[in-house]
Amino acid sequence: MRVNRILLSSALVVVALVIQVSVLARLHLPGAVPDLMLLTVLGLALVYGHVGGALVGFGAGLLADLAPPADHAAGRYALVLCVIGYLAGLVKPETGQLKSATGPMVVVVAAALGSTLLYAGVGALVGDTAARHVGLGSLLFTAALYDLLLAPFVVPGVMALARRAENDPLAETGSGAKATDISSGWLSGGTGLKIGSQRNGLRVKAARARMARAGRIKGVKRL
């Protein structure tokens, strides 16, 4: 990933985690909790693609696993967000621009349902039966509802910031100038092609001058 992608993703994930833990988790809403981390990963995945979405999802999920007051096995949410980020990145628009809000809303609902099912499934494998006691149907409905209501305020903003960082003219100019410097340095110094051709030309000229001088000297002696 590019440096600007890493910096922006890290900043957005940290802000989302702080809001998730300090605000959303304390609302005591019935059923699930609005998942701001999931929405942030979705917004970045829709711009960065499946590889970037998977990397951002894994990092965000691992940070959420280690942040207090996490009460589940480390790596569980990292796996969930990694898979969700990868799948969301597969539906990234080719032009990077969304033609309508229907597609992202469908992605949000599918991600909310899929993350809840995957989280509960992984929990069942490690012996966590909390979802069974709360009610999986209630969790699925409330997770999709809360994330769908929160998505219009999060996903478009995250995507706009990601696209702006991707299309930063200063970054492109700097990278283009750097590439030009590297290519010119490679041609003039690294391979020696340009310098070598100049040296060969000088050697040919020097040889011709010597031959001309030798011819003149011989002509003088003959006379």
Side-chain angles (χ1 to χ4, degrees):
M1 295 180 70
R2 300 176 182 177
V3 176
N4 56 347
R5 286 187 177 187
I6 297 175
L7 294 177
L8 178 63
S9 302
S10 301
L12 291 177
V13 166
V14 170
V15 172
L17 179 62
V18 171
I19 298 175
Q20 181 82 35
V21 174
S22 61
V23 178
L24 298 180
R26 299 184 179 183
L27 294 178
H28 301 292
L29 297 174
V33 176
D35 199 340
L36 187 59
M37 295 284 286
L38 175 65
L39 298 178
T40 303
V41 170
L42 290 179
L44 294 174
L46 290 175
V47 177
Y48 295 158
H50 59 283
V51 176
L55 294 175
V56 172
F58 179 80
L62 187 61
L63 185 63
D65 287 331
L66 300 177
D71 55 353
H72 54 268
R76 180 177 171 185
Y77 199 47
L79 174 62
V80 173
L81 288 187
C82 180
V83 174
I84 296 299
Y86 178 85
L87 295 178
L90 293 177
V91 298
K92 167 191 172 183
E94 295 182 358
T95 59
Q97 300 289 338
L98 296 175
K99 297 181 179 180
S100 65
T102 305
M105 293 300 102
V106 173
V107 172
V108 169
V109 174
L113 297 177
S115 62
T116 303
L117 289 174
L118 186 57
Y119 188 83
V122 175
L125 293 177
V126 297
D128 185 1
T129 60
R132 187 181 304 175
H133 296 293
V134 176
L136 185 58
S138 176
L139 286 177
L140 291 173
F141 176 76
T142 53
L145 178 62
Y146 297 154
D147 292 345
L148 189 61
L149 293 176
L150 188 61
F153 304 98
V154 178
V155 177
V158 171
M159 293 183 66
L161 290 175
R163 284 197 300 265
R164 184 174 182 180
E166 287 288 288
N167 300 325
D168 188 359
L170 295 179
E172 292 179 358
T173 303
S175 61
K178 186 177 180 181
T180 303
D181 295 340
I182 293 174
S183 61
S184 61
W186 173 263
L187 291 176
S188 61
T191 60
L193 295 177
K194 188 175 181 179
I195 294 177
S197 62
Q198 292 177 353
R199 289 178 179 176
N200 291 334
L202 293 176
R203 289 176 181 175
V204 172
K205 291 180 180 179
R208 290 178 180 176
R210 291 173 185 173
M211 292 176 63
R213 290 178 183 175
R216 291 175 184 175
I217 293 173
K218 291 180 180 179
V220 172
K221 288 182 178 180
R222 289 177 183 178
L223 293 174

